[in-house]
Amino acid sequence: MDHLVYIRMRHRLQVKPHETVFLKDVAQIISDETIYEKLRQIPVHSVTDKDRNIIVIDVMKIIRLLAAFDQTIEVQTIGPPQIIIEVIAKGKKISMPMFMLIWFLLFFGAALTIMNFHEDVSMQEVQQKIYTIITGEVDSKPLIFQIPYSLGLGLGMIIFFNHVFKKRLNEEPSPLEVEMFNYQLDLDSYVSMNENKESMKNIDDR
């Protein structure tokens, strides 16, 4: 009797250089208990230096491996047709001078952006007019508005990005995280199409 095996490819996997990737790493498996553990230990790919940092494994390769393992297996695939394997090299520690340089660049870049925006919309003149309307007096530096506004600007950025350093304020993703997620999806789609040799075929390869 044929063994029915359900395979659901994972979306992305991170591995170390020269590591062997098994079926349990690249896919979720549902099968008979008699062959489940053996299926999990089927080697799918061995990472080499030629692989660089991105490897795309197509589901057809998985089906071929299962057919070679046991011809009585009937495979049902669910989900994405390939998995992206990212080879993570050993990271280098960032030096403190480099960290401080990047921090200063980001800090002063953000400060200049905010100041240029306020200059474009004439924020100081608006605050002066509001102060004059409320108090009836003219003040070139209405600190009673400028100080709370500056504090509120920083607090608003914290609420907007939903983070205080590494601590998340709530479970809702920030707009930056959503944009990074969409960018990662677009990047994965591009990699899946261009790095997967099975998805494209040139006329010379026929």
Side-chain angles (χ1 to χ4, degrees):
M1 185 178 65
D2 291 347
H3 296 287
L4 184 59
V5 177
Y6 292 94
I7 295 292
R8 180 183 178 88
M9 300 290 286
R10 303 185 193 278
H11 182 72
R12 176 177 281 269
L13 173 68
Q14 292 183 342
V15 298
K16 298 178 181 178
H18 308 289
E19 187 175 347
T20 299
V21 180
F22 297 93
L23 184 58
K24 64 180 181 179
D25 300 320
V26 301
Q28 297 177 356
I29 310 166
I30 297 179
S31 69
D32 295 338
E33 292 295 333
T34 56
I35 61 172
Y36 177 73
E37 289 299 330
K38 294 181 179 179
L39 293 179
R40 283 168 48 86
Q41 299 302 325
I42 294 178
V44 175
H45 185 81
S46 295
V47 181
T48 63
D49 295 333
K50 294 182 180 179
D51 292 323
R52 299 184 181 179
N53 64 323
I54 293 293
I55 308 164
V56 178
I57 302 296
D58 195 84
V59 69
M60 296 301 293
K61 179 178 180 179
I62 304 301
I63 295 175
R64 286 195 295 267
L65 289 173
L66 292 176
F69 173 77
D70 188 347
Q71 294 184 355
T72 65
I73 288 179
E74 179 183 348
V75 181
Q76 294 287 340
T77 61
I78 306 171
Q82 65 272 317
I83 181 175
I84 298 174
I85 299 177
E86 183 180 2
V87 182
I88 304 296
K90 187 177 181 180
K92 297 180 180 178
K93 293 184 178 180
I94 300 177
S95 62
M96 185 56 66
M98 180 62 67
F99 172 79
M100 295 302 297
L101 175 62
I102 295 174
W103 188 88
F104 276 113
L105 287 175
L106 293 176
F107 177 81
F108 286 107
L112 288 173
T113 301
I114 294 173
M115 288 189 292
N116 288 331
F117 169 76
H118 286 166
E119 186 66 25
D120 289 340
V121 299
S122 302
M123 181 63 68
Q124 185 174 4
E125 294 180 8
V126 171
Q127 291 177 345
Q128 290 172 352
K129 290 181 180 179
I130 294 176
Y131 181 82
T132 301
I133 291 173
I134 295 177
T135 64
E137 300 176 358
V138 178
D139 190 350
S140 60
K141 296 181 180 179
L143 298 180
I144 193 173
F145 284 111
Q146 293 176 343
I147 293 176
Y149 175 79
S150 299
L151 296 176
L153 185 64
L155 181 61
M157 294 298 290
I158 292 175
I159 296 175
F160 180 77
F161 287 106
N162 196 24
H163 274 83
V164 179
F165 297 104
K166 293 185 178 181
K167 186 177 181 180
R168 183 189 295 270
L169 298 181
N170 54 55
E171 294 300 321
E172 182 180 349
S174 69
L176 180 61
E177 289 174 324
V178 173
E179 288 299 321
M180 291 299 295
F181 175 78
N182 291 331
Y183 171 76
Q184 188 64 56
L185 286 180
D186 293 337
L187 184 63
D188 289 346
S189 298
Y190 176 85
V191 169
S192 298
M193 181 62 66
N194 289 273
E195 295 292 334
N196 188 359
K197 297 179 181 179
E198 299 296 332
S199 64
M200 300 178 64
K201 196 174 185 66
N202 296 325
I203 191 171
D204 296 333
D205 298 334
R206 298 172 60 184

